[in-house]
Every structure is written in structure tokens, then in C-alpha cells.
Amino acid sequence: MKRLFELDAAIADADLGIGLLWEELEVTAIDGTTMEVAGNDVLAGELGTPADGAKPLLRITAHVRTATFRWAGAAIGGYHDGENALADQLEESFGPGMLNLADRGFFSMDRFLRFSARGAHLAWRVKNAAKSVPLRVIRTLPDGSELVMLHESDGMRTRRRRETGDPHAERLTDTAARLVTFTILTETRSGRRKTTQVKVLTTLLDHERYPRPRDRRTLR
């Protein structure tokens, strides 16, 4: 069954004549979820549970094609395994002709560089806090986005060495990227408003071909 999944997952939507491309790129996304399994002591001990008496849970981080919801890859662990640790197992499912989206919890400079090195383009949301992303602004582009240089600080390298168990890991290579910032104003029918600033770090450096999204207002 695993081999059947791998054979199907390796085939792009375009090769099957289904789905849609955006700017000649197949759009995919990373996300995580949990799944209940049968409640017994063996599985509870192996996988973990969210609370005493609850059913055991699998944790899955999936790499999904957004047009058809066909999976390009999946990593499965127990309830207490982290989404990011599982996401690291998806690296080989990335490749040329792909644009991947990810929420802000998945970003690390190491992961961003490794996954983009597979040939895929990335557009990953990052946290708004200034120190959460190791970058220096090179210049502001005509569309309002920013060309930036990613640089791993001493503290980040120390943490990565500890997390990987490699005390001699070299500093990550400085890498150019583009930071796109836009605002979404959400208004309910009762008149309540919420403003959200969204920051996306991307390998799509051409601001003319891939312009910054306009700030927008939504009603719900």
C-alpha cells in the first residue's frame, strides 16, 4: 500500500490532465492534522493520546496539491510528534514546476533552503515579529515588496546544532528572498472589523511577473 501511494503521489496533476496551473506552476501546500485510531492500550502506548481515556491519535503532516487535493507526500507519527519534525520528512516530494504554500508555523531558514534547493518555489507565511525571520532588507521593490537577504544568526545556528545533534554544523549560506506584506480587513455583517497583516517569504523574486497582492477587504 505504501508503494502504491508513492507511485500515485509522484504523478503531477498536469501529467494526468487534471487540475490548474498558476503561472505555469503546480500549487501545493503543507498542513498537519490528526486521525483517531482504535482505542486500545497497545496503540495508546505507541501513539499517545490527548487526554486520559481518549482514543489514540496519529499525527500526519501532508504535502497536498491544492487544485485536486491529491497528496504529493505524507509523514505519519504519533500524537506527540511535532508537525515540523514530520514536515522535514517531506523534502523529497518537492521538485521543479511546483509552488508550495505553508503557514507561519512551518518556517525555518534551514527548511526553507533545503526545500527550495529541490527546485520548487516557496511562498511561506512567516511571523510578523521582527526577530522571527533572520533577514536584512536590501531594497524595496516597485510593487512594495522587499528584496531581502536571509542570514543565520549565531543564536539560530547554536539552536540548530542542538536540535540536529551536530555540534559542528556550518552556518547556513546567506540567501536572497522576497518578503511580501499585505493587509486583510475582515468585516462581519454586524460591523465588527479585524485587520490582519500577512507576511509571506518567497523564492519568486520577479516582482513584475509575480506582483504583490493588493490589500483587500472581505465580508463574512
Side-chain angles (χ1 to χ4, degrees), residues 60-208:
I60 303 170
T61 301
H63 183 195
V64 181
R65 296 176 170 93
T66 60
T68 61
F69 301 110
R70 293 179 58 244
W71 290 21
I76 302 174
Y79 174 70
H80 297 293
D81 291 321
E83 285 186 346
N84 285 299
L86 294 174
D88 283 331
Q89 300 177 35
L90 301 176
E91 183 176 343
E92 292 187 0
S93 65
F94 285 71
M98 180 182 293
L99 172 62
N100 180 254
L101 314 178
D103 206 352
R104 53 193 170 186
F106 287 103
F107 174 79
S108 75
M109 183 174 169
D110 176 57
R111 189 174 299 117
F112 191 86
L113 297 187
R114 285 190 292 106
F115 283 29
S116 60
R118 301 282 303 179
H121 280 295
L122 309 179
W124 287 7
R125 187 176 178 186
V126 294
K127 296 178 181 179
N128 291 347
K131 294 183 178 180
S132 64
V133 185
L135 59 81
R136 172 176 58 85
V137 177
I138 300 173
R139 67 176 182 272
T140 300
L141 300 171
D143 70 336
S145 61
E146 297 169 309
L147 184 65
V148 301
M149 185 65 69
L150 299 178
H151 173 77
E152 185 179 42
S153 68
D154 290 341
M156 292 178 65
R157 181 175 59 168
T158 298
R159 183 168 61 253
R160 181 168 58 86
R161 285 176 169 179
R162 181 175 63 251
E163 291 174 350
T164 61
D166 181 1
H168 305 294
E170 296 293 333
R171 190 187 307 276
L172 297 174
T173 303
D174 288 4
T175 303
R178 182 168 158 234
L179 183 66
V180 181
T181 304
F182 57 96
T183 300
I184 298 176
L185 172 62
T186 302
E187 183 176 355
T188 66
R189 297 187 185 279
S190 63
R192 294 181 61 185
R193 293 186 174 189
K194 178 182 178 181
T195 300
T196 304
Q197 185 181 70
V198 178
K199 292 188 174 185
V200 175
L201 191 69
T202 182
T203 58
L204 300 173
L205 302 184
D206 188 341
H207 67 277
E208 294 182 343

